[in-house]
Amino acid sequence: MANAKVIQAKQDAVDVVTSKLRESVTTVVADYRGLNVSQVTELRKQLREAGIEFQVLKNSLVRRATAAAELTELDEVLAGPTAIAFSTNDAVAPAKILNDFAKKNDALKIKGGVVEGRVVGVDQIKALAELPSREGLLSMLLSVLQAPVRNFALAVKAVADKEETGASA
């Protein structure tokens, strides 16, 4: 009977990881070997503040989850200690936080990940990390949208100023 409970618990764990892989907009896989407890605690704190779930998982469990989620290409990076960051709302944040942390702490190595259902390598994760944050992108969009209105207002003001100087002369 205990065996059935253990097997069911393992299957439940695989199901949880499978659903996280499917629901996440970005998943980043990293090797944390060599980080001390305070460094891991700081990394977890930064990720938690951004709403990102960070877990250390057994590779065999993750392989079963990738098979169920049809992301078996990710299995190539599942060697050695594996920590995974799951983000369901911000595609850039996990890549940015882990990449910035890895720059300051050589022990953290990004292995790869999944971005919107596609398995990507280290280079794509680092490229994603270089993108502006969601707030930065929204700010840029707002600026672009305001430019035509601002230019129109300046043109109207210039015409009004010209007519005003023409009328007073």
Side-chain angles (χ1 to χ4, degrees), residues 73-155:
E73 301 90 27
L74 192 62
D75 292 352
E76 294 174 16
V77 299
L78 298 176
T82 301
I84 303 179
F86 299 98
S87 177
T88 55
N89 53 5
D90 190 342
V92 178
K96 186 176 284 300
I97 292 169
L98 287 168
N99 190 50
D100 291 348
F101 196 85
K103 286 179 183 175
K104 297 174 192 160
N105 301 280
D106 291 338
L108 183 72
K109 304 280 188 241
I110 296 173
K111 297 179 178 182
V114 180
V115 178
E116 297 190 354
R118 278 189 35 241
V119 175
V120 296
V122 179
D123 295 337
Q124 289 99 333
I125 294 292
K126 289 184 178 183
L128 183 63
E130 300 303 321
L131 289 175
S133 67
R134 183 177 191 275
E135 291 76 22
L137 289 171
L138 288 173
S139 171
M140 287 181 210
L141 176 63
L142 183 61
S143 176
V144 167
L145 292 175
Q146 285 178 336
V149 175
R150 189 179 9 210
N151 292 341
F152 179 72
L154 289 172

Side-chain angles (χ1 to χ4, degrees), residues 46-53 86-89:
Q46 289 177 24
L47 290 166
R48 188 175 34 254
E49 287 172 355
I52 299 162
E53 189 173 345
F86 299 98
S87 177
T88 55
N89 53 5

Side-chain angles (χ1 to χ4, degrees), residues 23-108:
E23 294 167 7
S24 295
V25 288
T26 301
T27 302
V28 179
V29 179
D31 182 345
Y32 63 94
R33 200 178 355 205
L35 292 178
N36 62 38
V37 174
S38 64
Q39 291 170 320
V40 172
T41 303
E42 176 59 29
L43 177 59
R44 284 182 185 273
K45 179 179 175 254
Q46 289 177 24
L47 290 166
R48 188 175 34 254
E49 287 172 355
I52 299 162
E53 189 173 345
F54 187 69
Q55 293 183 313
V56 173
L57 298 166
K58 286 187 168 188
N59 290 331
S60 59
L61 184 142
V62 178
R63 280 190 192 96
R64 290 175 190 249
T66 59
E70 298 177 2
L71 296 168
T72 54
E73 301 90 27
L74 192 62
D75 292 352
E76 294 174 16
V77 299
L78 298 176
T82 301
I84 303 179
F86 299 98
S87 177
T88 55
N89 53 5
D90 190 342
V92 178
K96 186 176 284 300
I97 292 169
L98 287 168
N99 190 50
D100 291 348
F101 196 85
K103 286 179 183 175
K104 297 174 192 160
N105 301 280
D106 291 338
L108 183 72

